[in-house]
Amino acid sequence: MSDMPVRATGPTSAPERRASARRARRRMTLYGWLFIGPLILGILAFQGIPVVVSIYTSFTNWDGITTPKFLGFGNYARMFTKDPQYWRTLLNTIEFTVGVIPLTIIGALLLAVLCNGKGKVSNAVFRTAYFTPYVTSIVAIGLVWSQLFTPSGVLNQLLAKIGIDGPSWLTDVHWAMPAVILVSAWQAIGYPMVIFLAGLQNIPETLHEAAKVDGANSWNRFLRVTLPLLTPQIFFVLITQIIASFQVFALIFVMTKGGPGTATTVYIYYLYQNGFTFGDLGFASAMAWILFLIIGLVTFAQLRLQRRWVFYND
């Protein structure tokens, strides 16, 4: 039998191997772009282009139908010098944020500590119950709580049983904002609770045992061990909750529609009114970009200040 020549099944030289590797990388890159291409196109079409349009619109007088009229910085000048309602809505938003953030963080931290016990079944039930409002429709929550806050609602009936004459919550200028703050904190508390619970479960038990050996009681262990090690989670929750608070809209729209008067007219609700009720999309766009700058500055300040109080256990 004569010897048959052996056919090469692959590149036999270094240049050929490198060329084959380059072709494989180009092929994989092409596949990657094919997979993410539709997503990128969707982002550009539904987010990127509207962002660019809103920048231009903020320098115009436009009702969404007629031809825009260029105003330069007229909308921004009007915002800061000619529209006292703008400052009122900004102060309302700050009041809402200052009220809801402590309630949310302290409440979520308390619930996380309570759910970080040993009973698996009961803890799972309670965790689910506490987290459910966060994934529930905000419209449904607003409608239900609006009924609870009526003058003859359940809340005032409970207060009457202990001799307290409950107010007309959502129609009283003094109580409308506290009522909305209470509902917002109740609805949002589940998300930070999960974040804090994950942080608690990642704290080494040896640190608590060492503190206990040194004579620290439960309260001191929480203040000296648990709380410092939870500061990264607290920092993350603080940033996300402040951003969410500055953008509150749906709950206000359902429960009070900015009333009574302007007591609960927050920034985004006033932006909505200008854009879709008053037909002033130029001014609404300018408000949106000022809000973007405010949130950016607040977040940047928090990132700078975190060095003073956030402890990372590397």
Side-chain angles (χ1 to χ4, degrees), residues 7-305:
R7 180 177 297 178
T9 59
T12 58
S13 63
E16 290 177 336
R17 289 195 295 271
R18 287 194 293 269
S20 178
R22 284 195 297 270
R23 287 193 296 270
R25 284 196 297 269
R26 284 196 295 268
R27 187 166 55 250
M28 295 303 295
T29 301
L30 177 61
Y31 291 157
W33 280 108
L34 288 175
F35 276 110
I36 69 174
L39 177 62
I40 293 176
L41 291 176
I43 292 175
L44 289 175
F46 297 105
Q47 295 185 20
I49 294 175
V51 166
V52 175
V53 171
S54 72
I55 295 175
Y56 170 74
T57 304
S58 70
F59 295 101
T60 66
N61 179 15
W62 187 42
D63 59 5
I65 301 175
T66 59
T67 303
K69 297 179 181 178
F70 189 75
L71 296 178
F73 289 94
N75 286 322
Y76 295 93
R78 168 190 161 191
M79 193 183 310
F80 293 115
T81 61
K82 299 179 181 179
D83 190 353
Q85 178 67 8
Y86 173 82
W87 293 105
R88 175 62 181 171
T89 60
L90 185 58
L91 291 175
N92 285 345
T93 305
I94 294 173
E95 178 186 353
F96 176 85
T97 302
V98 171
V100 78
I101 294 298
L103 284 178
T104 303
I105 292 180
I106 294 174
L109 184 58
L110 177 61
L111 292 179
V113 172
L114 293 176
C115 290
N116 193 36
K118 302 296 183 181
K120 295 183 179 180
V121 176
S122 61
N123 282 339
V125 172
F126 284 117
R127 292 173 191 174
T128 302
Y130 297 143
F131 188 76
T132 298
Y134 182 74
V135 294
T136 303
S137 167
I138 195 70
V139 174
I141 288 174
L143 291 173
V144 171
W145 278 93
S146 295
Q147 294 302 312
L148 296 178
F149 278 125
T150 57
S152 59
V154 174
L155 184 59
N156 279 356
Q157 291 179 19
L158 293 175
L159 292 175
K161 291 183 180 298
I162 57 176
I164 299 176
D165 187 15
S168 180
W169 296 89
L170 300 181
T171 57
D172 189 316
V173 294
H174 301 293
W175 288 103
M177 182 63 80
V180 174
I181 288 173
L182 179 64
V183 177
S184 181
W186 173 85
Q187 185 270 335
I189 204 169
Y191 175 71
M193 181 202 72
V194 172
I195 300 297
F196 291 150
L197 186 59
L200 288 171
Q201 294 177 348
N202 283 328
I203 296 177
E205 188 61 31
T206 53
L207 297 178
H208 290 285
E209 294 175 355
K212 191 173 182 179
V213 170
D214 288 339
N217 57 28
S218 299
W219 178 245
N220 285 330
R221 291 199 300 272
F222 177 78
L223 289 180
R224 304 297 182 181
V225 178
T226 303
L227 203 56
L229 293 177
L230 276 181
T231 50
Q233 288 79 20
I234 295 174
F235 175 65
F236 172 78
V237 168
L238 184 62
I239 285 182
T240 55
Q241 293 300 310
I242 286 179
I243 293 174
S245 297
F246 269 94
Q247 299 179 76
V248 62
F249 170 76
L251 201 62
I252 298 292
F253 182 82
V254 174
M255 293 186 67
T256 65
K257 288 185 169 52
T262 58
T264 60
T265 303
V266 291
Y267 198 101
I268 292 294
Y269 188 79
Y270 188 51
L271 187 154
Y272 160 80
Q273 285 183 314
N274 278 281
F276 300 100
T277 302
F278 308 146
D280 194 349
L281 289 174
F283 187 72
S285 298
M287 286 187 63
W289 280 102
I290 292 298
L291 179 62
F292 171 78
L293 292 177
I294 291 173
I295 293 176
L297 289 174
V298 171
T299 303
F300 177 76
Q302 289 176 294
L303 291 171
R304 298 288 293 179
L305 293 173

